[in-house]
Every structure is written in structure tokens, then in C-alpha cells.
Amino acid sequence: MKKLNRRFFLKGGMAGTALLADTGLAKKASAADTFGGYPDSMGVLVDFTKCVGCRSCEAACNKEQGLPAPDKPFDYMSVFDERHKGQKRRTTEKAYTVVNRYNIKDREQGPVFRKFQCNHCNEPACLTSCFVNAYTKTKEGAVIYDPTVCVGCRTCMIACPFYVPAYSYSNPINPVIKKCIMCYDTRLKFGRPPACVEACPQEVMTFGKRKDLIKLGHNRIQKNPEKYIDHLYGEKEVGGTAWMYMSDVPFEELGFNTHLGEQPIISYVKEFLTIVPMVLTIWPALFTGFYLLANRKEAFKNEKPSGNE
Amino acid sequence: MTRTRNTFLVIMITLALSGWPPVFGQAETGPDSAELDTLAQLYDAVAFDHAAHVEMVEGNCARCHHHTTGVAPTNPKCLRCHPGGQEADSMACKDCHSEKRFESAYLAEIAANTDRFHTDIPGLKGAYHRNCLGCHQESGGPTGCADCHARNEKGDAFFSSGKYAPKSPQKTSGH
């Protein structure tokens, strides 16, 4: 009777594992689907051919977000020559957006100025990497975060393919992540564009629905094929971003990573991550069961002679 | 007839470029000067020497007022719909380039009007800067912000400059 039970149990166990493996596979298949962003989310189209490097956007961001005073006034153009460990300026806890100058060889109009800030991905890597769920992708398109939840682990800084999130290193008690929130609280929520967009004298940035901006961008390229590179950076990169860029020089020359691929960062780990809960919950119980059963047989064998005596 | 029409034109241009009638010059070339002040916030109004610019472009009004003056456009893509170049009802920048480019109402209007071809029209601020600065860069004109409009105190505060400049230069924070 006991033997039968054991066999039955093992059989059931095998079937269960097979079933789990099956559902795991089914999940894998659906993991190929990507979210693709909210349908009516907003975005910004940045046209580098129009930027003159006046840094008004930086000043506007500073005022709108109530950031601390800058190290140098916003009309100092010497910042374009700054190098931090050999790198051009990047976003910090004091500056959610920065403009950098790229000297392009043989470009008639002179250097290209590139504005840099959070790209507000459709499927943000920072969001998926955050284990306290501090991040939210709003239906308006902004990637915002709750600093009261942030524990300051900096995983998102490593996850972000664009190296955007900055860290409040100056705060020794409770350092948190700092980054552009597309002026969500003060503007985007009410249908208004971010402060930098409105401050720009050259109207380098166009604000609108992301899907309209894609059309507009391609239209602009089509009308001026001799001017623009035929690529809207951010349309497809890492699953699409709310901020998209057009340029007359190859994007690599402006410090863009053009090898990120079109898959959202999460799709690289999705398959693995779906197995983790299964492994963590079922495997210990299953293998402990196996172990106990195996040992029980041994114990039964050992007990037998003593029983006969 | 021509006289009435010219007078009308002058009034239109004047009203468009400034808040009040400036000094009148020759009717054919528009006002001698204009104060561009509709957007002045961080900077003082631009005292625009219209007469000097008319001389610079040798009377080719279309150099700035692109197709609105009745001069045929040169771009073949524009010519498809605007052959010959009809004179527009208004030559004022702000009648096509909205001052409220970034307000939700304008964005909604653009989105709602699906028949509209020119959905990519820059706002007034963008049009001014691209038109003026674009030409100044090409022709070696002044390109500094304060070369055309003096920054006011509000502007100094905005740029954390002048008396609002950071007191002591601190070490730039890292990442």
C-alpha cells in the first residue's frame, strides 16, 4: 500500500513539473509581445539642425523644477569645453537636462548642439529594474518616480541604456535618484509641454502626441531629404521613446548609441525573470520531497532487519 | 486706388510688427522701424530697424516675408500649390506664426484639423529667431542674444547671471 502511494506521488509530481514547464513555455511565447507605449501618450521631437546652443532650456528646467543654483551662470558658454573624466557634461542632481557641443568636421554651419535629458522610454529599463516600484510610466508618456519610496540603490542608473538617472551624492542622509520627469507635475499633466520646450527661442523641440510626431518627423525628412539623416532616433530604439531626435549628421557623431536595438531592455530578461518565482517556490519543495522520499526508502531498508529480529 | 491699398498695407504691417504706429517710411517698403515686443519677457523689446534691413535685402521683401508679399516662391515644392505667388491677406508674422504655439488649445486645433497641410508651422518666437538668426549666421550679422535684445532683470534671474550669478564657484557634482 505504501509502495503504491509513493509511486502515485512520484507520478503526480512528474506530471506537475511537466505542467509547470508547459505553462512556462506558454509564458515565454507571450513574452515576445511588447507593450509599445500608451496610444495617446505625448512626446517631444528634437531637431538638432535648429539648436544654437543658447542653454535657455537648461535655465528653464532649473527654474521649473526648483533645482539648486547652477555652478556657473546659464549664459556661460565655456561649459561646452568642460570634460568630466574625459566625458562631456551629463545630467546631475542639479541639472536634469544639459546641452553639449559636438564639433563636426567639414560641417558648414559649424558645431552641432545636442540637448540631453531623459528620453521617457515606452518600456523603461529603470522602471523594470526598480525593486521598490518607485517608477511609473504615466499615460501621458512621462516616466516619473516617487523619491519617498526610492531607497537609493542606483540599479536604475545601471539599467538605463542612455545613462540618464543622476544621484544626489550631496545628500549623506537619504540620497535618492534625480532625473527629468517631463515636467509632469506642473505641466504635462495639464496638457502643456515641458518648460524646456517652451523656453527654446529656436523652437528646436516640437511637442505633441508621439504618434503624430513620428509622422511629422518623417514628413520633415521626406521634404528635405538632402538635409536630414533618414532616421528618427527614438522611434524604435529600445522599444520606442517619448523623446525623438532628428539630425543632419550621423547620430553616432553626436554621442548616440546606435547599437541598442529595437527590443525594450526588459525583453532581454523577461524570459529569465518569469522562471525565477517558479524556481524559488516550487523547486525547494519538490527537491526536498524527492530527498525525503529517497531517504525514507533507505530508512525503511535499515529498519527492516531490526523489525525481523 | 494704389494709394489706399498702400496705406492699408502700411497699417497692416505696422499693426503686425508693433503695438503702436511707428515712424512711417516709404509706403512700398513698410515702416522704418518697428518694436517687436509681443513676446518680450526675459529680454527688452527688439528695436527693429526695418528700413536698414530693406536696404540690406535690396528691396526683396520675400527674403523675410517669404511668400506673403506676392513674390513667387523659388522652392519647387512650394510652387506646386502656390504658383505665381499670390499676395497674402496679411504680411504680419504673427498672423500665421502663432504666439500661443505651445498652448493646449492650439495643439488641439492643429490635431483636429486633419485637412491642414502645413501642420509644422513654427510659433512666433521660433519664426522670429530662425528667420533673423538664420540670416545673421549666413551673412555675418550679430548672433549674440543681447546683440538684438537687451536682457532685463527677469532674464538675469532666469539665466542665474548678472547679480543673480552663483556666489562662489563650487565643485561640479559628479553623476
Side-chain angles (χ1 to χ4, degrees):
Chain A
M1 187 65 195
K2 261 180 189 170
K3 256 184 189 174
L4 192 75
N5 264 355
R6 191 190 302 157
R7 198 170 282 165
F8 179 76
F9 174 77
L10 280 172
K11 260 188 191 166
M14 293 288 271
T17 320
L19 195 76
L20 277 166
D22 228 35
T23 50
L25 279 174
K27 263 185 189 158
K28 250 188 211 174
S30 68
D33 298 332
T34 51
F35 166 55
Y38 291 102
D40 279 338
S41 69
M42 306 304 281
V44 177
L45 180 64
V46 188
D47 188 338
F48 292 133
T49 64
K50 297 190 169 76
C51 182
V52 293
C54 71
R55 301 183 64 209
S56 296
C57 51
E58 289 187 38
C61 175
N62 179 278
K63 301 293 169 303
E64 182 76 21
Q65 294 297 323
L67 297 175
D71 297 330
K72 288 174 187 165
F74 287 109
D75 53 1
Y76 273 36
M77 298 305 148
S78 59
V79 294
F80 295 134
D81 299 318
E82 274 178 23
R83 290 294 178 273
H84 304 277
K85 295 188 177 112
Q87 301 289 312
K88 289 182 195 290
R89 296 191 306 147
R90 53 153 295 172
T91 46
T92 69
E93 59 179 303
K94 283 173 153 187
Y96 297 166
T97 184
V98 291
V99 177
N100 280 320
R101 185 186 60 205
Y102 291 83
N103 296 317
I104 308 295
K105 218 182 140 200
D106 298 331
R107 187 177 185 262
E108 256 178 52
Q109 308 93 305
V112 176
F113 294 94
R114 176 193 168 187
K115 183 184 183 290
F116 177 76
Q117 78 299 306
C118 175
N119 285 330
H120 299 274
C121 303
N122 286 343
E123 293 185 66
C126 55
L127 183 151
T128 46
S129 76
C130 181
F131 72 93
V132 291
N133 271 345
Y135 283 96
T136 310
K137 172 79 178 175
T138 73
K139 66 174 173 19
E140 294 88 352
V143 179
I144 59 170
Y145 61 102
D146 183 353
T148 59
V149 176
C150 177
V151 294
C153 72
R154 291 175 283 170
T155 312
C156 52
M157 293 176 73
I158 296 164
C160 176
F162 304 110
Y163 305 100
V164 164
Y167 197 60
S168 53
Y169 284 107
S170 65
N171 184 344
I173 311 296
N174 183 26
V176 293
I177 284 298
K178 298 268 185 183
K179 77 163 198 76
C180 161
I181 55 165
M182 215 166 155
C183 292
Y184 179 77
D185 295 340
T186 50
R187 292 166 152 267
L188 190 69
K189 206 160 59 174
F190 308 108
R192 293 173 60 213
C196 54
V197 172
E198 205 167 326
C200 179
Q202 287 278 102
E203 283 179 26
V204 168
M205 294 156 275
T206 314
F207 173 75
K209 278 186 189 161
R210 186 176 183 273
K211 58 179 182 192
D212 296 339
L213 292 178
I214 292 171
K215 269 187 234 162
L216 195 144
H218 282 298
N219 200 355
R220 216 181 269 177
I221 292 169
Q222 204 181 2
K223 279 184 191 159
N224 303 283
E226 67 290 335
K227 181 177 174 186
Y228 291 106
I229 299 286
D230 189 10
H231 182 62
L232 269 191
Y233 191 96
E235 182 190 355
K236 290 178 179 151
E237 275 76 7
V238 293
T241 57
W243 282 64
M244 293 169 289
Y245 306 89
M246 39 201 314
S247 163
D248 59 338
V249 299
F251 284 100
E252 305 90 78
E253 293 182 37
L254 301 177
F256 278 88
N257 186 345
T258 49
H259 302 286
L260 288 174
E262 296 181 0
Q263 287 295 315
I265 301 297
I266 190 181
S267 60
Y268 297 107
V269 290
K270 223 181 211 171
E271 291 179 5
F272 168 73
L273 286 176
T274 48
I275 303 170
V276 172
M278 188 186 87
V279 170
L280 287 183
T281 54
I282 294 163
W283 281 22
L286 192 67
F287 290 117
T288 311
F290 283 163
Y291 174 78
L292 287 176
L293 282 171
N295 274 12
R296 221 181 129 173
K297 199 177 169 189
E298 287 293 309
F300 187 67
K301 266 184 193 166
N302 291 342
E303 266 174 35
K304 234 178 182 177
S306 63
N308 287 345
E309 268 177 80
Chain B
M1 173 64 200
T2 1
R3 202 194 153 90
T4 357
R5 192 172 165 187
N6 282 342
T7 321
F8 173 73
L9 251 178
V10 169
I11 292 168
M12 285 301 288
I13 294 164
T14 318
L15 285 177
L17 289 171
S18 66
W20 54 87
V23 189
F24 282 68
Q26 280 180 303
E28 292 80 23
T29 53
D32 275 347
S33 67
E35 188 133 321
L36 310 182
D37 63 345
T38 51
L39 300 165
Q41 280 177 21
L42 306 175
Y43 293 89
D44 293 339
V46 179
F48 182 67
D49 191 342
H50 193 265
H53 283 84
V54 170
E55 247 175 67
M56 280 176 231
V57 297
E58 289 158 351
N60 177 14
C61 304
R63 180 71 183 80
C64 299
H65 292 278
H66 24 194
H67 54 80
T68 49
T69 54
V71 177
T74 48
N75 190 330
K77 286 169 202 155
C78 305
L79 273 171
R80 265 186 289 172
C81 300
H82 306 284
Q86 312 90 321
E87 196 169 330
D89 293 339
S90 164
M91 282 174 68
C93 306
K94 71 174 173 190
D95 283 343
C96 293
H97 300 282
S98 173
E99 277 173 68
K100 295 170 178 160
R101 177 71 180 83
F102 295 106
E103 285 182 13
S104 329
Y106 180 84
L107 296 170
E109 184 201 314
I110 292 272
N113 191 351
T114 47
D115 293 338
R116 189 169 175 164
F117 177 75
H118 292 293
T119 50
D120 202 3
I121 300 176
L124 188 60
K125 183 163 68 169
Y128 276 153
H129 284 101
R130 286 187 205 171
N131 214 359
C132 299
L133 197 54
C135 194
H136 279 204
Q137 279 172 335
E138 280 171 31
S139 59
T143 54
C145 305
D147 293 343
C148 293
H149 41 37
R151 196 166 65 204
N152 58 30
E153 189 167 345
K154 214 176 148 193
D156 281 351
F158 181 78
F159 282 95
S160 302
S161 195
K163 73 172 182 184
Y164 297 94
K167 295 286 175 293
S168 56
Q170 297 144 336
K171 195 189 164 290
T172 316
S173 49
H175 293 290

mmCIF file with all atom_site columns, all heavy atoms in Angstrom, chain B residues 13-26:
data_model
loop_
_atom_site.group_PDB
_atom_site.id
_atom_site.type_symbol
_atom_site.label_atom_id
_atom_site.label_alt_id
_atom_site.label_comp_id
_atom_site.label_asym_id
_atom_site.label_entity_id
_atom_site.label_seq_id
_atom_site.pdbx_PDB_ins_code
_atom_site.Cartn_x
_atom_site.Cartn_y
_atom_site.Cartn_z
_atom_site.occupancy
_atom_site.B_iso_or_equiv
_atom_site.pdbx_formal_charge
_atom_site.auth_seq_id
_atom_site.auth_comp_id
_atom_site.auth_asym_id
_atom_site.auth_atom_id
_atom_site.pdbx_PDB_model_num
ATOM 1   N N   . ILE B 1 13 ? 1.095  96.176  -41.731 1.00 0.00 ? 13 ILE B N   1
ATOM 2   C CA  . ILE B 1 13 ? 2.465  95.817  -41.322 1.00 0.00 ? 13 ILE B CA  1
ATOM 3   C C   . ILE B 1 13 ? 2.773  96.415  -39.957 1.00 0.00 ? 13 ILE B C   1
ATOM 4   O O   . ILE B 1 13 ? 3.298  95.751  -39.062 1.00 0.00 ? 13 ILE B O   1
ATOM 5   C CB  . ILE B 1 13 ? 3.494  96.322  -42.356 1.00 0.00 ? 13 ILE B CB  1
ATOM 6   C CG1 . ILE B 1 13 ? 3.291  95.582  -43.681 1.00 0.00 ? 13 ILE B CG1 1
ATOM 7   C CG2 . ILE B 1 13 ? 4.914  96.130  -41.851 1.00 0.00 ? 13 ILE B CG2 1
ATOM 8   C CD1 . ILE B 1 13 ? 3.960  96.241  -44.858 1.00 0.00 ? 13 ILE B CD1 1
ATOM 9   N N   . THR B 1 14 ? 2.380  97.671  -39.824 1.00 0.00 ? 14 THR B N   1
ATOM 10  C CA  . THR B 1 14 ? 2.656  98.363  -38.574 1.00 0.00 ? 14 THR B CA  1
ATOM 11  C C   . THR B 1 14 ? 1.981  97.674  -37.405 1.00 0.00 ? 14 THR B C   1
ATOM 12  O O   . THR B 1 14 ? 2.600  97.402  -36.378 1.00 0.00 ? 14 THR B O   1
ATOM 13  C CB  . THR B 1 14 ? 2.145  99.814  -38.654 1.00 0.00 ? 14 THR B CB  1
ATOM 14  O OG1 . THR B 1 14 ? 2.479  100.336 -39.926 1.00 0.00 ? 14 THR B OG1 1
ATOM 15  C CG2 . THR B 1 14 ? 2.756  100.657 -37.571 1.00 0.00 ? 14 THR B CG2 1
ATOM 16  N N   . LEU B 1 15 ? 0.711  97.377  -37.615 1.00 0.00 ? 15 LEU B N   1
ATOM 17  C CA  . LEU B 1 15 ? -0.033 96.724  -36.537 1.00 0.00 ? 15 LEU B CA  1
ATOM 18  C C   . LEU B 1 15 ? 0.583  95.368  -36.214 1.00 0.00 ? 15 LEU B C   1
ATOM 19  O O   . LEU B 1 15 ? 0.622  94.952  -35.060 1.00 0.00 ? 15 LEU B O   1
ATOM 20  C CB  . LEU B 1 15 ? -1.502 96.564  -36.935 1.00 0.00 ? 15 LEU B CB  1
ATOM 21  C CG  . LEU B 1 15 ? -2.322 97.847  -36.893 1.00 0.00 ? 15 LEU B CG  1
ATOM 22  C CD1 . LEU B 1 15 ? -3.731 97.579  -37.385 1.00 0.00 ? 15 LEU B CD1 1
ATOM 23  C CD2 . LEU B 1 15 ? -2.363 98.442  -35.494 1.00 0.00 ? 15 LEU B CD2 1
ATOM 24  N N   . ALA B 1 16 ? 1.057  94.718  -37.271 1.00 0.00 ? 16 ALA B N   1
ATOM 25  C CA  . ALA B 1 16 ? 1.594  93.376  -37.087 1.00 0.00 ? 16 ALA B CA  1
ATOM 26  C C   . ALA B 1 16 ? 2.905  93.406  -36.332 1.00 0.00 ? 16 ALA B C   1
ATOM 27  O O   . ALA B 1 16 ? 3.150  92.587  -35.460 1.00 0.00 ? 16 ALA B O   1
ATOM 28  C CB  . ALA B 1 16 ? 1.783  92.729  -38.447 1.00 0.00 ? 16 ALA B CB  1
ATOM 29  N N   . LEU B 1 17 ? 3.746  94.325  -36.665 1.00 0.00 ? 17 LEU B N   1
ATOM 30  C CA  . LEU B 1 17 ? 5.088  94.321  -36.093 1.00 0.00 ? 17 LEU B CA  1
ATOM 31  C C   . LEU B 1 17 ? 5.172  94.995  -34.737 1.00 0.00 ? 17 LEU B C   1
ATOM 32  O O   . LEU B 1 17 ? 6.079  94.732  -33.959 1.00 0.00 ? 17 LEU B O   1
ATOM 33  C CB  . LEU B 1 17 ? 6.080  94.982  -37.059 1.00 0.00 ? 17 LEU B CB  1
ATOM 34  C CG  . LEU B 1 17 ? 6.413  94.165  -38.321 1.00 0.00 ? 17 LEU B CG  1
ATOM 35  C CD1 . LEU B 1 17 ? 7.217  95.013  -39.289 1.00 0.00 ? 17 LEU B CD1 1
ATOM 36  C CD2 . LEU B 1 17 ? 7.202  92.909  -37.972 1.00 0.00 ? 17 LEU B CD2 1
ATOM 37  N N   . SER B 1 18 ? 4.264  95.878  -34.462 1.00 0.00 ? 18 SER B N   1
ATOM 38  C CA  . SER B 1 18 ? 4.380  96.585  -33.190 1.00 0.00 ? 18 SER B CA  1
ATOM 39  C C   . SER B 1 18 ? 3.025  96.844  -32.561 1.00 0.00 ? 18 SER B C   1
ATOM 40  O O   . SER B 1 18 ? 1.995  96.654  -33.177 1.00 0.00 ? 18 SER B O   1
ATOM 41  C CB  . SER B 1 18 ? 5.084  97.921  -33.425 1.00 0.00 ? 18 SER B CB  1
ATOM 42  O OG  . SER B 1 18 ? 4.248  98.725  -34.219 1.00 0.00 ? 18 SER B OG  1
ATOM 43  N N   . GLY B 1 19 ? 3.053  97.297  -31.340 1.00 0.00 ? 19 GLY B N   1
ATOM 44  C CA  . GLY B 1 19 ? 1.809  97.575  -30.629 1.00 0.00 ? 19 GLY B CA  1
ATOM 45  C C   . GLY B 1 19 ? 1.234  98.923  -30.997 1.00 0.00 ? 19 GLY B C   1
ATOM 46  O O   . GLY B 1 19 ? 0.045  99.157  -30.847 1.00 0.00 ? 19 GLY B O   1
ATOM 47  N N   . TRP B 1 20 ? 2.052  99.827  -31.473 1.00 0.00 ? 20 TRP B N   1
ATOM 48  C CA  . TRP B 1 20 ? 1.579  101.170 -31.806 1.00 0.00 ? 20 TRP B CA  1
ATOM 49  C C   . TRP B 1 20 ? 2.214  101.623 -33.124 1.00 0.00 ? 20 TRP B C   1
ATOM 50  O O   . TRP B 1 20 ? 3.250  101.092 -33.513 1.00 0.00 ? 20 TRP B O   1
ATOM 51  C CB  . TRP B 1 20 ? 1.906  102.132 -30.676 1.00 0.00 ? 20 TRP B CB  1
ATOM 52  C CG  . TRP B 1 20 ? 3.336  102.129 -30.308 1.00 0.00 ? 20 TRP B CG  1
ATOM 53  C CD1 . TRP B 1 20 ? 4.322  102.868 -30.853 1.00 0.00 ? 20 TRP B CD1 1
ATOM 54  C CD2 . TRP B 1 20 ? 3.959  101.290 -29.334 1.00 0.00 ? 20 TRP B CD2 1
ATOM 55  N NE1 . TRP B 1 20 ? 5.517  102.563 -30.292 1.00 0.00 ? 20 TRP B NE1 1
ATOM 56  C CE2 . TRP B 1 20 ? 5.329  101.603 -29.342 1.00 0.00 ? 20 TRP B CE2 1
ATOM 57  C CE3 . TRP B 1 20 ? 3.495  100.317 -28.442 1.00 0.00 ? 20 TRP B CE3 1
ATOM 58  C CZ2 . TRP B 1 20 ? 6.228  100.968 -28.513 1.00 0.00 ? 20 TRP B CZ2 1
ATOM 59  C CZ3 . TRP B 1 20 ? 4.402  99.695  -27.617 1.00 0.00 ? 20 TRP B CZ3 1
ATOM 60  C CH2 . TRP B 1 20 ? 5.740  100.013 -27.648 1.00 0.00 ? 20 TRP B CH2 1
ATOM 61  N N   . PRO B 1 21 ? 1.633  102.614 -33.790 1.00 0.00 ? 21 PRO B N   1
ATOM 62  C CA  . PRO B 1 21 ? 2.197  103.021 -35.081 1.00 0.00 ? 21 PRO B CA  1
ATOM 63  C C   . PRO B 1 21 ? 3.580  103.635 -34.912 1.00 0.00 ? 21 PRO B C   1
ATOM 64  O O   . PRO B 1 21 ? 3.754  104.577 -34.165 1.00 0.00 ? 21 PRO B O   1
ATOM 65  C CB  . PRO B 1 21 ? 1.204  104.077 -35.594 1.00 0.00 ? 21 PRO B CB  1
ATOM 66  C CG  . PRO B 1 21 ? -0.004 103.926 -34.756 1.00 0.00 ? 21 PRO B CG  1
ATOM 67  C CD  . PRO B 1 21 ? 0.435  103.370 -33.447 1.00 0.00 ? 21 PRO B CD  1
ATOM 68  N N   . PRO B 1 22 ? 4.584  103.082 -35.572 1.00 0.00 ? 22 PRO B N   1
ATOM 69  C CA  . PRO B 1 22 ? 5.908  103.665 -35.535 1.00 0.00 ? 22 PRO B CA  1
ATOM 70  C C   . PRO B 1 22 ? 6.050  104.752 -36.605 1.00 0.00 ? 22 PRO B C   1
ATOM 71  O O   . PRO B 1 22 ? 5.086  105.096 -37.253 1.00 0.00 ? 22 PRO B O   1
ATOM 72  C CB  . PRO B 1 22 ? 6.809  102.492 -35.860 1.00 0.00 ? 22 PRO B CB  1
ATOM 73  C CG  . PRO B 1 22 ? 5.975  101.613 -36.712 1.00 0.00 ? 22 PRO B CG  1
ATOM 74  C CD  . PRO B 1 22 ? 4.532  101.909 -36.436 1.00 0.00 ? 22 PRO B CD  1
ATOM 75  N N   . VAL B 1 23 ? 7.259  105.229 -36.782 1.00 0.00 ? 23 VAL B N   1
ATOM 76  C CA  . VAL B 1 23 ? 7.510  106.251 -37.791 1.00 0.00 ? 23 VAL B CA  1
ATOM 77  C C   . VAL B 1 23 ? 7.267  105.656 -39.182 1.00 0.00 ? 23 VAL B C   1
ATOM 78  O O   . VAL B 1 23 ? 7.724  104.549 -39.468 1.00 0.00 ? 23 VAL B O   1
ATOM 79  C CB  . VAL B 1 23 ? 8.968  106.737 -37.698 1.00 0.00 ? 23 VAL B CB  1
ATOM 80  C CG1 . VAL B 1 23 ? 9.177  107.950 -38.594 1.00 0.00 ? 23 VAL B CG1 1
ATOM 81  C CG2 . VAL B 1 23 ? 9.337  107.053 -36.272 1.00 0.00 ? 23 VAL B CG2 1
ATOM 82  N N   . PHE B 1 24 ? 6.540  106.369 -40.015 1.00 0.00 ? 24 PHE B N   1
ATOM 83  C CA  . PHE B 1 24 ? 6.235  105.837 -41.339 1.00 0.00 ? 24 PHE B CA  1
ATOM 84  C C   . PHE B 1 24 ? 7.345  106.175 -42.327 1.00 0.00 ? 24 PHE B C   1
ATOM 85  O O   . PHE B 1 24 ? 7.883  107.267 -42.327 1.00 0.00 ? 24 PHE B O   1
ATOM 86  C CB  . PHE B 1 24 ? 4.911  106.415 -41.854 1.00 0.00 ? 24 PHE B CB  1
ATOM 87  C CG  . PHE B 1 24 ? 3.732  105.744 -41.236 1.00 0.00 ? 24 PHE B CG  1
ATOM 88  C CD1 . PHE B 1 24 ? 3.440  105.903 -39.894 1.00 0.00 ? 24 PHE B CD1 1
ATOM 89  C CD2 . PHE B 1 24 ? 2.934  104.917 -41.994 1.00 0.00 ? 24 PHE B CD2 1
ATOM 90  C CE1 . PHE B 1 24 ? 2.365  105.281 -39.324 1.00 0.00 ? 24 PHE B CE1 1
ATOM 91  C CE2 . PHE B 1 24 ? 1.858  104.277 -41.412 1.00 0.00 ? 24 PHE B CE2 1
ATOM 92  C CZ  . PHE B 1 24 ? 1.566  104.465 -40.077 1.00 0.00 ? 24 PHE B CZ  1
ATOM 93  N N   . GLY B 1 25 ? 7.669  105.218 -43.127 1.00 0.00 ? 25 GLY B N   1
ATOM 94  C CA  . GLY B 1 25 ? 8.646  105.484 -44.174 1.00 0.00 ? 25 GLY B CA  1
ATOM 95  C C   . GLY B 1 25 ? 7.940  105.448 -45.511 1.00 0.00 ? 25 GLY B C   1
ATOM 96  O O   . GLY B 1 25 ? 6.750  105.756 -45.587 1.00 0.00 ? 25 GLY B O   1
ATOM 97  N N   . GLN B 1 26 ? 8.644  105.023 -46.528 1.00 0.00 ? 26 GLN B N   1
ATOM 98  C CA  . GLN B 1 26 ? 8.014  104.895 -47.829 1.00 0.00 ? 26 GLN B CA  1
ATOM 99  C C   . GLN B 1 26 ? 6.979  103.781 -47.756 1.00 0.00 ? 26 GLN B C   1
ATOM 100 O O   . GLN B 1 26 ? 7.211  102.749 -47.153 1.00 0.00 ? 26 GLN B O   1
ATOM 101 C CB  . GLN B 1 26 ? 9.057  104.527 -48.877 1.00 0.00 ? 26 GLN B CB  1
ATOM 102 C CG  . GLN B 1 26 ? 9.860  105.719 -49.358 1.00 0.00 ? 26 GLN B CG  1
ATOM 103 C CD  . GLN B 1 26 ? 10.867 105.261 -50.381 1.00 0.00 ? 26 GLN B CD  1
ATOM 104 O OE1 . GLN B 1 26 ? 11.692 104.393 -50.082 1.00 0.00 ? 26 GLN B OE1 1
ATOM 105 N NE2 . GLN B 1 26 ? 10.792 105.813 -51.565 1.00 0.00 ? 26 GLN B NE2 1
#
